[in-house]
Amino acid sequence: MSTTGSRQTLVRQWEMLKLLPTRAPGMTARDICQLLNDEGFNVSKRQVERDLEQLSQSFALVCNDKGKPYGWHWMAGAGADMPAISAAEALSLTMVEKVLKPLLPGTVLQSIAPRLNQAKDKLAKLQQSQAFGDWQNKVAYVPATLQQQAPHIDDNVLNTTQLALLHNQCLDVSYEPAGKAAKNYTLHPLGLVQRGVSTYLVATVDPYDDARLFALHRMQAASPRDDKHINVPDGFTLKDYLSDGNLQFSDGVKLALKARINDNLTMHISETPLSEDQAIAASEQGNILTATVNDSWQLRWWIKSMGAQIEILEPAALRQDIAGELAETLRAYQ
């Protein structure tokens, strides 16, 4: 074979490797052939089949032969399109994994497993060097809040939801609201958001046009609607939706918060402010905090978690609510 022919074969096979999915049922030789021809490669289905057989001898490829036509895909944790990685990048990726692992469902982590595994392999090879011998003892992750385990999300539900979101397709789902029996809905997916350990789909529900939240771990089944594309509410953007405080379980109402805080909390939120207009002034009565914040469950959870470090001064309604809940908590301990 000529040098030009060898180069064309190499380029075609590399493109083929990048086309293969990372999970069953995989992609058929016919589909791969069509995509390659769309990319400008003049190749037959038989040539694709020969390439796949050849590549499977050198790469972690699997032929899913449980049904015809056969589908090809990468083995779990393997993949193509991975450029070289430096030692510093490998160390950073191991830290990223430590942060993400307790937060994300296993299915989501699988999508970046090839890159994470590449980082581990890089560091494993460097362990032979004395300088890198104890790298595993040099990185750690400590959560800022009480650590919780990520809820289980059905693999098919997650994959179907992600694809429907990307292709602007509606979804038929069986969804179990908190404490209620499962119901069937037709959803118009607008965005996916990770909040702590939980993953939420932002969507509208037929026949309404107001965006709502659906926890993916409460979806029992999901199937795409090939015949129906989503309707996006006028002016909707995910950025604005989040800015309105929806993932803080807020109705979007803003509060002019005023509170007395101790020195420890003052130091903490001086470094990580509650808002852009936050101000802290020292006075004879202590450190006075002012900030414009969303009135939300998350705000109230945070205030109560601070205990005696904070006293709400304004607004009066918020002060009364917090005082009432703290009094009820005290009664439970008496």
Side-chain angles (χ1 to χ4, degrees):
M1 183 182 293
S2 67
T3 302
T4 301
S6 297
R7 185 181 300 114
Q8 289 175 344
T9 299
L10 179 61
V11 172
R12 183 186 70 242
Q13 291 182 343
W14 185 243
E15 287 299 320
M16 186 183 303
L17 289 172
K18 292 192 290 183
L19 286 174
L20 292 176
T22 57
R23 65 180 70 189
M27 184 177 290
T28 67
R30 184 180 300 277
D31 289 339
I32 296 172
C33 179
Q34 180 63 55
L35 290 172
L36 287 173
N37 278 279
D38 290 344
E39 292 291 329
F41 297 94
N42 185 15
V43 62
S44 67
K45 175 175 171 289
R46 182 61 190 135
Q47 181 61 64
V48 169
E49 291 171 340
R50 286 196 294 266
D51 284 346
L52 289 168
E53 291 291 346
Q54 180 183 349
L55 291 170
S56 66
Q57 298 175 23
S58 303
F59 294 90
L61 304 184
V62 177
C63 179
N64 179 22
D65 56 3
K66 294 181 179 179
K68 290 187 176 181
Y70 297 162
W72 288 81
H73 61 89
W74 287 95
M75 288 184 183
D81 198 23
M82 292 186 296
I85 186 172
S86 69
E89 289 171 332
L91 198 61
S92 296
L93 281 170
T94 60
M95 292 195 69
V96 168
E97 182 181 23
K98 290 176 184 291
V99 174
L100 295 180
K101 193 169 184 178
L103 292 177
L104 298 179
T107 313
V108 176
L109 285 175
Q110 287 174 12
S111 63
I112 59 173
R115 193 65 168 166
L116 297 176
N117 290 338
Q118 186 188 20
K120 293 175 185 177
D121 290 343
K122 175 77 173 185
L123 293 172
K125 292 176 182 177
L126 292 172
Q127 273 191 321
Q128 299 174 1
S129 166
Q130 185 176 359
F132 289 90
D134 61 345
W135 69 266
Q136 295 186 66
N137 298 321
K138 294 181 178 179
V139 293
Y141 164 67
V142 178
T145 58
L146 182 66
Q147 185 62 63
Q148 296 174 276
Q149 298 296 310
H152 172 73
I153 296 176
D154 181 270
D155 289 357
N156 290 329
V157 164
L158 178 61
N159 186 53
T160 301
T161 301
Q162 290 173 327
L163 290 177
L165 182 66
L166 291 174
H167 294 291
N168 294 320
Q169 291 177 307
C170 287
L171 276 175
D172 287 333
V173 303
S174 174
Y175 186 79
E176 186 175 352
K180 299 180 180 178
K183 296 182 179 180
N184 295 324
Y185 300 98
T186 296
L187 304 183
H188 297 246
L190 302 172
L192 271 179
V193 182
Q194 187 73 29
R195 183 183 185 273
V197 296
S198 298
T199 307
Y200 292 90
L201 174 68
V202 182
T204 60
V205 188
D206 269 353
Y208 309 103
D209 60 1
D210 56 318
R212 306 181 189 182
L213 289 173
F214 296 86
L216 257 64
H217 61 271
R218 293 182 184 148
M219 284 190 190
Q220 299 177 347
S223 58
R225 290 283 298 271
D226 295 333
D227 63 328
K228 190 169 186 178
H229 285 70
I230 66 169
N231 292 321
V232 180
D234 291 341
F236 175 88
T237 67
L238 185 60
K239 181 180 179 180
D240 289 342
Y241 181 79
L242 297 178
S243 297
D244 288 340
N246 286 284
L247 264 293
Q248 299 175 23
F249 301 101
S250 165
D251 58 8
V253 175
K254 298 287 186 179
L255 290 179
L257 181 69
K258 183 177 181 180
R260 182 180 293 111
I261 57 178
N262 69 6
D263 291 340
N264 285 336
L265 186 55
T266 296
M267 179 182 66
H268 175 65
I269 64 174
S270 293
E271 298 172 339
T272 55
L274 301 180
S275 68
E276 292 183 359
D277 66 351
Q278 173 180 295
I280 301 175
S283 71
E284 295 181 359
Q285 292 76 34
N287 304 312
I288 303 301
L289 163 72
T290 58
T292 302
V293 295
N294 286 319
D295 185 8
S296 65
W297 291 356
Q298 191 169 29
L299 172 67
R300 294 161 190 264
W301 291 336
W302 178 79
I303 291 171
K304 287 181 285 186
S305 72
M306 293 299 103
Q309 295 185 85
I310 184 170
E311 176 193 357
I312 301 301
L313 302 176
E314 296 177 7
L318 178 61
R319 177 183 174 89
Q320 184 177 354
D321 289 346
I322 297 296
E325 292 185 31
L326 292 177
E328 187 176 344
T329 300
L330 181 60
R331 285 194 294 272
Y333 279 89
Q334 290 176 338

